[in-house]
Amino acid sequence: MSNPALLILYGSQTGTAQDTAQRLARQAQRRRLRVRVMPLDDYNVAHLISESLVVFVCSTTGQGDPPDNMKNFWRFLFKKSLPVGSLSRLDCAILGLGDSSYPKFNFVAKKLHKRLLQLGACVLLPVGLADDQHDLGADAVIDPWFASFWGKVSTLYPTLSGVIPLREDEPLPPTYTFHFLDDMQEKEEVRLRIPMDQTVPSQSHPFPARMVFNRRVTEPSHFQDVRHIELDVTGSNIEFAAGDVVMMRPCNAPEDVQQFCQLLRLDPETRFTLSPTDNTAVPAWLPQPCTVRHLVESYLDIAAVPRRSFFELLSTFATNELEREKLAEFSSAAGQDELHSYCNRPRRTALEVLTDFPHTTAGLKVDYLLDLFPEIQPRSFSIASSLRAHPNRIQVLVAVVRYKTKLYKPRKGLCSSWLASLDPAQGDVYVPLWVKKGSLKFPSEKETPVIMVGPGTGVAPFRSALQERTTEGKTANVLFFGCRSESKDFYFRSEWEEMMEAGFLALFMAFSRDQEAKVYVQHRVRENGELLWDLIANKHACFYIAGNAKQMPASVCDALKEAFQQAGGVSAEEAEQMLATMEKMGRFQSETWS
Ligand code: 2AM
């Protein structure tokens, strides 16, 4: 039997499954196998019946959900009309990435396994169940799983066992070749292309939305910088409802771009085109030709904490013995603890790593840039406005992320810092974005009351809902909002006051630091048990929680159950049951983020 062409399909939310898929692809290349690697939703599933060897690398997100870039595949695969046995020619293997601290650990990989068996595929080895909670990290499962995968494959394709793999320190060919253009060639300004057709903006075709305003809504003396930002989406075909989410692609900071170009001795103004060395497509939204500046600024994720595959590839460029040894250690299974302390714990960025390995960085070949650095991941924000109140606009509420680690320079959140740095008063600025359905849904019946608990920026989706509901004449709205101080971070105060005056809102505030003892939204929920019981038990209210405080949702749930017991006279078990029933019926919903 001749060597198979390996197809690696991944579903990745934060980039880990993608990185793992790419590591496996490199191992395949070292064994001189033809390999393709892509997100599940970029693959035409109808072709699966003619593949011979496929590996699925899928993470599980949230409450056992598949990542965004495999949602279409997921819907297709579970269609009842798919004939049993339709994948009987397929050999496959499944590697799941999950976190055992969540109840539905690796649910996606397990469900995929069952379904593939049902469709007649031959699953070559047990599903790999990598666990973020493992003492030695997910790689403690992934590495042995890779080894047993290759063991199986070489038994199946004996010609492979005779192949001597390329050594780990020999660089593989890059995925793309750069062709630099000389100045004589016609200059074309690199800009985001505005879609002129009727397509709805998406990850591969984001819409460049002009920033209308960017206002700080916390007092200048307050520790946290929170921005209220408005974006113009006129002509984008974007539509959304309260609870939906806007995805944005951030850019790297200009000083980081400059430092990166200096380290690699690249002129940011040089233009190039890319050609794939195999049949990989050029990234859809990277213009061709493109300047080095544009590539580094809006494509290469140099500000993220690099993953293991980064060190694996970087080590192949080492010319200095010390650097080579260190990089080899970080690339090895045994060095993962060390890598964690060096990179993950202090949140060291890829750019900072490059400065720590100057000899290696000096020898980096530009053709490998897209292999070395993943694409900047889009970030999601709950939409804080409604199209009814603000036609053609999307507003968001963004807390600017900044924190300290043992490293000297404070750590910055890439997207929030970038957004905060944009000043529309200095000229037009654009944010590439698209919109995604969110998990919060609000009732369409006019009489159904909604109770919303959203401390801090958690209030964003509720502002959208309130704007929508006021225009629809829905008056039964209760909001619990929490912030540190009435004078420092009580944003949107005047809007809430207007709604209260107009009879659209009952507001309960928790100022956590305006008095000695902390007061949180859950305290207010507990205090207002009678009202909540009446709204929920008698008027079928829907209850919502949104926000980023880790313990907050659980504490609010506890407070609500206590309220049921005290105001409704039900037992603890009955209160628990009530909440579970509400959740099942979509009357209890939450959206939390970190
Ligand atoms: P704190 O920062 O004073 O502790 C918005 O961030 C508000 O949420 C702040 O008032 C913050 O209070 C509060 N908060 C922090 N942790 C919380 C928790 N576990 N439950 C509820 N609110 C919390």
Side-chain angles (χ1 to χ4, degrees), residues 455-456 482-484 510 512-513 518 520-522 548-549 551-552 555:
C483 61
R484 284 199 173 178
S512 57
R513 302 203 183 194
K518 286 263 180 96
Y520 284 159
V521 280
Q522 54 268 37
N548 68 349
Q551 302 305 321
M552 183 272 294
S555 306

Side-chain angles (χ1 to χ4, degrees), residues 434-454:
W434 64 100
V435 160
K436 216 178 78 168
K437 281 263 148 276
S439 57
L440 301 179
K441 304 268 177 297
F442 294 87
S444 48
E445 308 80 34
K446 201 164 175 180
E447 312 71 42
T448 308
V450 300
I451 303 161
M452 300 165 280
V453 183

Side-chain angles (χ1 to χ4, degrees), residues 10-24 57-60 67 69 95-98 130-132 137-139 142 146 305 307-309 344 374 377:
Y10 61 84
S12 185
Q13 194 67 26
T14 60
T16 315
Q18 179 179 0
D19 192 65
T20 306
Q22 278 159 350
R23 273 180 57 214
L24 183 65
V57 183
C58 302
S59 56
T60 294
N69 61 4
L95 174 60
L97 276 72
D131 183 4
D132 265 351
D139 288 348
I142 295 170
F146 279 175
V305 177
R307 297 167 191 273
R308 181 171 165 190
S309 65
N344 301 66
Q377 291 289 316

Side-chain angles (χ1 to χ4, degrees), residues 506-524:
L507 176 70
F508 297 97
M509 291 298 309
F511 300 114
S512 57
R513 302 203 183 194
D514 277 350
Q515 62 287 306
E516 192 105 340
K518 286 263 180 96
V519 176
Y520 284 159
V521 280
Q522 54 268 37
H523 298 117
R524 298 294 184 227

Side-chain angles (χ1 to χ4, degrees), residues 529-586:
E530 298 281 344
L531 169 73
L532 298 183
W533 173 260
D534 179 49
L535 290 175
I536 293 170
N538 304 325
K539 306 199 170 81
H540 307 288
C542 294
F543 192 96
Y544 301 85
I545 305 176
N548 68 349
K550 269 212 169 118
Q551 302 305 321
M552 183 272 294
S555 306
V556 172
C557 282
D558 289 345
L560 187 62
K561 283 183 273 183
E562 273 178 46
F564 288 169
Q565 290 172 60
Q566 276 168 16
V570 297
S571 68
E573 293 74 43
E574 285 166 330
E576 186 83 48
Q577 190 53 49
M578 262 186 83
L579 207 59
T581 311
M582 283 176 72
E583 191 163 7
K584 217 184 257 165
M585 296 170 66

Side-chain angles (χ1 to χ4, degrees), residues 109-128:
K110 291 176 191 167
K111 195 165 167 187
L112 176 62
H113 177 228
K114 256 197 204 153
R115 183 62 175 154
L116 289 170
L117 286 176
Q118 227 174 34
L119 295 174
C122 170
V123 181
L124 297 179
L125 66 161
V127 185

